[in-house]
Amino acid sequence: PPVQMGDEGDYEVGLAAQEDAANYHDGKYIETIFEIVAEDVLRAMRLQDLQIMRNEIFARYGYIFINGGKMDTYFNQQDWYVGTNDNVDKYLTEIEKINIANIRKVEHGM
């Protein structure tokens, strides 16, 4: 299982926790919460899907997208999304940060 850094050290997000969390987190790319998505998987995806995958990580924490922008329009159509935060950086896990960086790298390489 993935290991997450906490204020008090490392702890594991076990498989049971993953299954439970899947019931509470919606979205198309739920795996970005629990695992580092392989770059070859990312390279096989369309640019539009990469953008949604990356921004879904922020959306889960209620990130407010640019009003009327592509991501604002997309996520406001999702019944689970509620925009409440201008900045969600403090909520991101190490796994999510790595996924964001890897997705950006593949996006810029396209």
Side-chain angles (χ1 to χ4, degrees):
V3 175
Q4 178 61 50
M5 289 295 292
D7 291 338
E8 298 175 11
D10 293 347
Y11 60 93
E12 290 187 7
V13 178
L15 295 177
Q18 289 180 26
E19 290 171 9
D20 291 341
N23 294 325
Y24 298 105
H25 294 289
D26 290 314
K28 195 172 180 179
Y29 302 105
I30 192 77
E31 68 272 17
T32 59
I33 296 173
F34 307 113
E35 63 187 56
I36 297 170
V37 181
E39 285 188 39
D40 59 329
V41 171
L42 297 175
R43 280 189 229 100
M45 295 174 66
R46 296 177 321 150
L47 180 59
Q48 177 182 359
D49 293 328
L50 288 169
Q51 291 170 339
I52 291 170
M53 178 186 267
R54 178 173 47 81
N55 283 290
E56 185 177 277
I57 297 169
F58 298 108
R60 283 193 199 101
Y61 296 107
Y63 181 75
I64 300 170
F65 296 95
I66 296 170
N67 191 26
K70 186 166 51 171
M71 292 299 113
D72 179 59
T73 301
Y74 175 83
F75 287 108
N76 277 310
Q77 293 175 358
Q78 310 306 309
D79 59 358
W80 56 267
Y81 171 73
V82 179
T84 55
N85 296 303
D86 290 332
N87 187 325
V88 297
D89 291 347
K90 67 182 178 183
Y91 304 117
L92 298 174
T93 67
E94 288 304 311
I95 290 171
E96 290 168 325
K97 289 175 187 177
I98 292 168
N99 280 325
I100 291 165
N102 289 344
I103 295 166
R104 282 188 173 137
K105 185 165 72 171
V106 172
E107 283 177 306
H108 293 282
M110 294 184 119

